């Protein structure tokens, strides 16, 4: 995996904010892709980016299946319960995850790990104060490995440990029309060999992100949602021999969403936006020049719709397209400094089954339509990319 790919993978994981869970990600993905659609649709997944919106979703129990990126298999990867206690107007959320998050560069590769930092705890909270709702989310990630003896039986000072604390704060105001959120990450790690020598050490790694959206109801059945997101992420480490590195990412996105409900049982969404991301790579090696990789998506847009067919059945589809430009300057893997332009398209299809307080949502593996069941085609594969079940506790 190239340096560019590693940084982009880490960034995509971090943008989802480690102190949150994926509530109804199955529905949001089906309407046009995760995570962008969550900015323009009101759904129990919103606390991922706007912690204060948790106040709307008390008494919610959920379980989510997702595709494991390492194995390609669909597995149960998160279970959660969001509490609303009688006589209290605050909401508490607890979630347990089966997978971790991407690590920062320079963090030790723990022998028993899978190059992902596991969750230790995840907690969220929201509470109204007058006409303003405050929310917060806290995520803790940690893994460690130490050895007491060397192979020759002498004392060992080998110590490998990594910790990331994620905090996200949110506010909802202006008659519940404005949602704002601010997130931080605080990474730290120790990486020494058996003789106590430092292999790598943290060099200013940090993460901060900001998001905002506003609901403008300009007609009875139509709403416009201008929104923005800014991410600043630094990933750096140093070594005793000057060959450490750092990458600094700045990612800015502006969009306008539109929701149309022609009838009560149908929702049609649209979004148009632009996104600019620049990553700068710096090396400790004397004489090495900084390299940059810039990606622009100008414009990108998505459409999505869902409709209730019967009381127990809802169908859903979505698509997203982006005009992409990639530009490299002094980038080692691309010495000719190319500029590439193209488009990307993503399609989604899914739906819901409703049984009283229980809702089952699915995102279809589109190849299943061609492949069919394994016992007929003999071809392996999943039926669903995502699958979720929710139980809304009656109040």
């Amino acid at each position: 995996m190239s340096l560019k790919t590693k940084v982009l993978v880490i960034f995509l994981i971090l943008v989802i904010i480690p102190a949150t869970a994926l509530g109804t990600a199955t529905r949001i993905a089906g309407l046009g892709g995760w995570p962008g659609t969550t900015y323009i649709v009101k759904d129990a997944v919103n606390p991922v980016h706007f912690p204060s919106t948790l106040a709307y979703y008390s008494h919610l129990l959920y379980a989510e299946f997702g595709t494991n990126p390492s194995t390609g298999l669909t597995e149960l990867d998160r279970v959660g319960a969001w509490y609303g206690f009688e006589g209290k107007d605050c909401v508490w959320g607890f979630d347990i995850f089966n997978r971790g998050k991407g690590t920062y560069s320079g963090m030790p590769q723990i022998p028993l790990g899978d190059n992902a930092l596991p969750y230790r705890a995840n907690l969220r909270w929201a509470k109204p104060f007058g006409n303003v709702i405050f929310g917060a989310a806290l995520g803790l990630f940690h893994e460690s490995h130490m050895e007491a003896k060397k192979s020759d039986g002498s004392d060992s000072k080998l110590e490998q440990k990594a910790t990331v604390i994620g905090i996200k704060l949110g506010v909802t105001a202006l008659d519940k029309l404005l949602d704002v959120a601010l997130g931080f990450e605080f990474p730290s790690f120790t990486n020494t060999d058996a003789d106590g020598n430092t292999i790598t050490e943290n060099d200013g790694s940090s993460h901060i992100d900001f998001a905002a959206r506003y609901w403008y109801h300009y007609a009875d059945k139509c709403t416009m949602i201008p929104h923005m997101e800014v991410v600043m992420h630094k990933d750096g480490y140093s070594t005793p021999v000057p060959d450490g590195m750092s990458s600094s990412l700045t990612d800015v996105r502006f969009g306008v969403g539109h929701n149309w409900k022609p009838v009560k049982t149908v929702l049609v969404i649209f979004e148009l936006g632009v996104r600019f991301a620049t990553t700068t790579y710096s090396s400790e090696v004397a004489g090495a020049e900084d390299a940059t990789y810039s990606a622009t998506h100008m414009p990108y847009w998505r459409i999505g719709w869902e409709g209730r067919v019967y009381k127990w059945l809802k169908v859903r589809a979505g698509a997203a397209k982006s005009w992409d430009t990639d530009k490299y300057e002094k980038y080692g893997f691309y010495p000719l400094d190319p500029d590439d332009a193209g488009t990307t398209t993503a399609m989604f299809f899914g739906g819901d089954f409703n049984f009283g307080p229980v809702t089952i949502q699915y995102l279809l593996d589109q190849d299943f339509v061609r492949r069919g069941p394994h016992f007929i085609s003999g071809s392996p594969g999943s039926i669903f990319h995502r699958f979720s079940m929710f139980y809304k506790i009656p109040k």
Side-chain angles (χ1 to χ4, degrees):
M1 183 182 291
S2 71
L3 180 60
K4 165 198 164 185
T5 305
K6 288 181 179 178
V7 172
L8 289 180
V9 168
I10 291 172
F11 162 66
L12 290 173
I13 294 172
L14 290 174
V15 164
I16 299 177
I17 304 304
T20 56
L22 294 186
T24 50
T26 304
R27 176 189 177 226
I28 291 298
L31 281 171
W34 171 265
T37 313
T38 190
Y39 287 88
I40 60 174
V41 176
K42 288 190 176 181
D43 187 273
V45 74
N46 288 171
V48 172
H49 292 282
F50 301 101
S52 55
T53 60
L54 181 71
Y56 307 146
Y57 304 107
S58 65
H59 297 74
L60 179 67
L61 313 177
Y62 78 88
E64 284 266 0
F65 288 78
T67 301
N68 188 319
S70 300
T71 64
L73 300 177
T74 300
E75 60 184 29
L76 181 62
D77 64 3
R78 61 202 71 218
V79 174
W82 297 355
Y83 294 74
F85 297 102
E86 185 175 356
K88 306 290 185 181
D89 55 1
C90 67
V91 180
W92 289 91
F94 300 91
D95 312 279
I96 293 180
F97 302 84
N98 189 36
R99 297 199 304 270
K101 66 178 292 298
T103 60
Y104 283 74
S105 297
M107 281 187 172
Q109 302 298 306
I110 310 299
L112 300 179
D114 59 355
N115 200 30
L117 204 57
Y119 282 88
R120 286 295 182 98
N122 188 80
L123 173 68
R124 72 183 79 245
W125 166 88
K127 179 179 174 61
F129 291 89
N131 296 323
V132 178
I133 302 174
F134 291 95
L138 172 67
L140 174 64
F141 311 79
H142 177 78
E143 193 170 27
S144 65
H145 173 77
M146 291 179 285
E147 294 178 355
K149 299 292 183 180
K150 299 180 182 179
S151 57
D152 61 5
S154 59
D155 292 339
S156 173
K157 296 180 180 179
L158 186 145
E159 182 177 5
Q160 299 176 333
K161 62 181 181 182
T163 301
V164 175
I165 299 174
I167 298 174
K168 197 168 186 72
L169 307 173
V171 176
T172 295
L174 301 182
D175 294 326
K176 300 181 180 179
L177 298 177
L178 175 66
D179 297 312
V180 179
L182 182 64
F184 304 90
E185 277 194 353
F186 305 96
S188 63
F189 56 87
T190 300
N191 189 16
T192 60
D193 62 19
D195 295 319
N197 300 314
T198 297
I199 301 175
T200 59
E201 60 183 356
N202 191 11
D203 187 11
S205 297
S206 62
H207 177 93
I208 183 171
D209 60 85
F210 173 81
R213 67 180 180 181
Y214 183 80
W215 301 88
Y216 173 50
H217 305 293
Y218 71 92
D220 289 342
K221 298 180 179 180
C222 299
T223 304
M224 294 187 67
I225 312 100
H227 57 278
M228 65 171 296
E229 181 185 30
V230 178
V231 176
M232 292 178 289
H233 178 73
K234 182 179 180 181
D235 187 350
Y237 69 91
S238 60
T239 62
V241 177
D243 60 357
M245 61 80 65
S246 69
S247 63
S248 298
L249 168 71
T250 300
D251 192 301
V252 180
R253 183 173 61 84
F254 299 96
V256 177
H258 184 270
N259 290 353
W260 174 43
K261 289 184 69 69
V263 296
K264 185 177 180 180
T265 57
V266 174
L267 171 66
V268 182
I269 71 166
F270 178 81
E271 182 192 6
L272 177 65
V274 295
R275 178 180 173 186
F276 310 90
T278 300
T279 303
T280 301
Y281 306 94
S282 301
S283 173
E284 289 185 349
V285 177
E289 296 182 289
D290 290 351
T292 62
Y293 164 69
S294 300
T296 60
H297 311 276
M298 190 173 68
Y300 71 83
W301 69 93
R302 74 182 81 241
I303 59 173
W305 57 262
E306 63 182 10
R308 189 171 298 281
V309 182
Y310 301 106
K311 184 177 181 180
W312 54 271
L313 175 65
K314 183 182 289 186
V315 293
R316 178 179 300 114
K321 181 173 282 290
S322 175
W323 295 5
D324 307 322
T325 301
D326 297 320
K327 183 176 182 179
Y328 304 86
E329 295 182 10
K330 302 174 183 177
Y331 196 94
F333 293 101
Y334 300 92
L336 300 182
D337 289 350
D339 292 355
D340 300 320
T343 61
T344 55
T345 305
M347 301 281 187
F348 309 91
F349 181 83
D352 295 358
F353 297 102
N354 299 103
F355 305 98
V358 175
T359 298
I360 296 174
Q361 301 178 330
Y362 68 90
L363 185 65
L364 187 70
D365 181 342
Q366 297 171 38
D367 191 53
F368 177 76
V369 177
R370 177 193 62 81
R371 185 182 66 245
H374 180 268
F375 71 90
I376 295 177
S377 66
S379 300
S382 301
I383 301 176
F384 307 112
H385 277 308
R386 292 201 67 87
F387 188 86
S388 60
M389 181 179 69
F390 300 87
Y391 184 89
K392 181 66 176 178
I393 302 173
K395 295 184 180 180

